[in-house]
């Protein structure tokens, strides 16, 4: 990948570790957001990250107004799943994170010419999720 043999394995290992760590952090954040929604304590940030809807007005259209504490108590995980956009899948889908971790694990054990490409795709998905998440309302 780097063109120079001794650093080839190091580069793939560094990318694989970065993908795994990023996916683990994403899974932890997603589980905390799911917990808030399941307990009836969903806030703007929770719904925005889980659905991918960045516009607060659009969140109001989809889920209705929050209560006086700026919390949506009646929103369920099924409602969030129905309203999820592709950006929401990129940021907070457990399946996407597990798939990226599987590709990284595969890179450690399998030597094939497609592995570096799959690993770079997994890295792009993880970076894309973080970039989209940085533009969410707080």
């Amino acid at each position: 990948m780097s063109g120079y043999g001794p650093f080839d394995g190091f580069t793939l290992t560094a990318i694989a570790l970065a993908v795994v760590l990023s996916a683990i952090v994403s899974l932890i954040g997603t589980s905390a957001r799911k917990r808030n929604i399941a307990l009836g304590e969903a806030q703007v940030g929770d719904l925005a990250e889980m659905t991918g809807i960045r516009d607060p007005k659009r969140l109001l259209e989809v889920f209705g107004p929050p209560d006086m504490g700026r919390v949506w108590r009646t929103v369920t995980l099924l409602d969030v799943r129905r309203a999820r956009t592709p950006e929401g899948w990129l940021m907070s889908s457990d399946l996407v994170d597990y798939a990226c971790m599987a590709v990284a694990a595969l890179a450690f054990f399998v030597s094939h010419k497609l592995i570096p490409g799959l690993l770079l795709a997994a890295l792009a998905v993880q970076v894309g999720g973080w970039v989209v998440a940085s533009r969410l309302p707080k």
Side-chain angles (χ1 to χ4, degrees):
M1 192 164 182
S2 64
Y4 184 63
F7 296 110
D8 212 16
F10 175 77
T11 304
L12 291 177
T13 303
I15 292 172
L17 288 176
V19 166
V20 168
L21 290 176
S22 175
I24 288 172
V25 170
S26 178
L27 286 169
I28 290 170
T30 300
S31 69
R33 302 239 186 237
K34 283 182 180 179
R35 180 187 163 278
N36 287 345
I37 293 169
L39 292 176
E41 301 171 356
Q43 297 179 352
V44 173
D46 299 329
L47 294 177
E49 183 173 328
M50 292 296 291
T51 61
I53 300 173
R54 291 180 292 200
D55 185 20
K57 291 179 183 177
R58 175 86 172 104
L59 281 173
L60 288 175
E61 289 174 10
V62 173
F63 297 113
D67 65 3
M68 295 300 288
R70 295 184 182 176
V71 174
W72 281 266
R73 299 198 188 282
T74 59
V75 174
T76 64
L77 288 171
L78 185 60
D79 297 333
V80 170
R81 187 174 298 146
R82 286 184 194 141
R84 191 175 273 179
T85 64
E87 291 175 344
W89 284 102
L90 192 63
M91 287 183 290
S92 62
S93 173
D94 292 347
L95 293 175
V96 171
D97 290 330
Y98 286 134
C100 289
M101 289 174 60
V103 167
L106 192 66
F108 282 118
F109 300 112
V110 176
S111 178
H112 191 272
K113 63 182 178 180
L114 294 178
I115 294 296
L118 289 174
L119 197 55
L120 286 176
L123 181 66
V125 165
Q126 289 297 314
V127 168
W130 288 108
V131 168
V132 172
S134 70
R135 296 186 282 148
L136 290 176
K138 301 287 182 222

